[in-house]
């Protein structure tokens, strides 16, 4: 009796295995869209690219408020938020450079 149960179990597993062997996934290729935004040229651009684009594109920066009241203090608060709230791994030496770049260009 046990031998029949074991043989039935093996037959079931073999049949299931054969069914799975016939299932194949086709490779998927993704075409990424072209970059449509870039940071404006300016002093400390490389520092901004090296730090900010790890998490978001230049489009994100362009969606921030603009105007005279959104200058150095605003950008300093934004960079601090990126570090403290979102965990951006920005070195202390780069914070001022990023703030200066954003203040001058946005």
């Amino acid at each position: 009796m046990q031998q029949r149960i074991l043989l039935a179990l093996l037959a079931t597993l073999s049949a299931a295995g054969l069914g799975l062997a016939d299932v194949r996934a086709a490779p998927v290729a993704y075409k990424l869209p072209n970059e449509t935004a870039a940071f404006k040229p300016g002093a400390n651009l490389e520092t901004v690219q090296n730090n900010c684009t790890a998490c978001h594109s230049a489009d994100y920066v362009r969606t921030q408020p603009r105007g005279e009241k959104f200058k150095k203090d605003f950008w300093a608060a934004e960079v601090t938020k990126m570090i403290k709230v979102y965990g951006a791994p920005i070195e202390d030496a780069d914070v001022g450079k990023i703030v200066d770049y954003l203040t001058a260009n946005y």
Side-chain angles (χ1 to χ4, degrees):
M1 179 78 163
Q2 288 179 347
Q3 188 177 13
R4 262 194 269 171
I5 293 173
L6 183 57
L7 289 173
L9 179 60
L10 287 173
T12 302
L13 291 174
S14 293
L18 289 175
L20 291 176
D22 293 336
V23 176
R24 299 169 199 249
V28 177
Y30 294 98
K31 183 177 181 332
L32 297 175
N34 293 329
E35 181 67 48
T36 58
F39 286 103
K40 296 177 183 178
N44 300 312
L45 171 61
E46 187 174 335
T47 302
V48 170
Q49 290 173 324
N50 290 341
N51 284 280
C52 303
T53 58
C55 297
H56 59 76
S57 71
D59 277 335
Y60 182 77
V61 175
R62 293 180 3 183
T63 65
Q64 300 306 305
R66 295 185 189 189
E68 285 309 308
K69 68 180 183 175
F70 300 105
K71 287 297 179 183
K72 192 164 190 156
D73 290 342
F74 171 78
W75 287 115
E78 286 298 299
V79 173
T80 299
K81 176 177 73 176
M82 295 297 153
I83 295 167
K84 293 188 177 192
V85 176
Y86 297 110
I90 298 172
E91 298 290 329
D92 290 342
D94 288 343
V95 171
K97 294 175 185 178
I98 295 168
V99 170
D100 289 346
Y101 169 85
L102 294 169
T103 301
N105 293 288
Y106 292 95

